[in-house]
Amino acid sequence: KRMAAFSAEYGDWATVVIDSVTFMELAARMAQQFITNKGSREPRQWWAGATDDLERMLMMRFASLPMSVVVIAHIDKQQQDFHGRALQTVSAPGRLSKGLPAAFGELYYAYPERDAEKRVSFWLQTRSDLQHVAASQIGAPDPCPTMYSALWTA
């Protein structure tokens, strides 16, 4: 219902944040189980329907919004093959674990780091390495502090 009226508000928003794909997946599955397919006793139907709903929402609706879109996701425990390399990428249902990086030009891996005094700072990896998938089309520095303004210093 919220997305149906959102197009009238495009001028009011500079950024939309989805936090997170994990909880969006749970909400989609619950909608399938208790609303769309509530008469079904077949859990595969709920999971398949939820995956289809998420693919449409994330890959088509959110990826085409005329504003910055931030999609927060956990890291998939299983590595994916990218150009012959096994890398960690986003955890998402179905085909989305490989599809989300293709739909969004900016893909960052967030991580903490301790300095010599044991203080923790947080960083964004903006380029792929031998472990994580990451990308920047805006030339964000790598690594980058976790501040929006720091993305635009390059």
Side-chain angles (χ1 to χ4, degrees):
K1 290 178 184 178
R2 178 70 179 103
M3 288 304 295
F6 190 61
S7 63
E9 301 173 28
Y10 285 171
D12 298 336
W13 301 98
T15 303
V16 173
V17 178
I18 296 134
D19 186 7
S20 69
V21 172
T22 304
F23 290 100
M24 195 174 185
E25 178 184 17
L26 178 60
R29 186 175 54 78
M30 292 296 177
Q32 286 289 325
Q33 184 175 354
F34 296 109
I35 299 169
T36 309
N37 288 307
K38 75 176 179 180
S40 175
R41 297 257 186 242
E42 178 54 66
R44 289 179 292 189
Q45 211 172 39
W46 307 329
W47 287 100
T51 298
D52 288 348
D53 289 348
L54 283 174
E55 285 177 343
R56 281 190 293 274
M57 185 66 72
L58 289 168
M59 303 295 281
M60 298 168 91
R61 276 192 112 157
F62 281 107
S64 65
L65 288 175
M67 63 200 62
S68 295
V69 177
V70 176
V71 179
I72 298 172
H74 292 91
I75 295 294
D76 197 338
K77 292 178 182 132
Q78 295 183 354
Q79 294 180 331
Q80 297 284 333
D81 180 62
F82 285 90
H83 307 292
R85 294 189 306 181
L87 302 175
Q88 287 187 301
T89 189
V90 298
S91 176
R95 300 169 295 272
L96 283 176
S97 62
K98 274 195 160 181
L100 276 177
F104 295 93
E106 299 295 306
L107 180 70
Y108 311 137
Y109 170 67
Y111 63 93
E113 192 170 85
R114 289 192 184 273
D115 63 15
E117 288 80 37
K118 306 273 187 209
R119 291 180 298 220
V120 177
S121 58
F122 294 91
W123 296 89
L124 298 173
Q125 176 181 322
T126 64
R127 305 284 186 281
S128 291
D129 61 10
L130 296 176
Q131 191 173 5
H132 297 98
V133 173
S136 178
Q137 309 305 310
I138 63 170
D142 183 45
C144 182
T146 55
M147 294 178 291
Y148 187 75
S149 59
L151 296 170
W152 303 95
T153 59

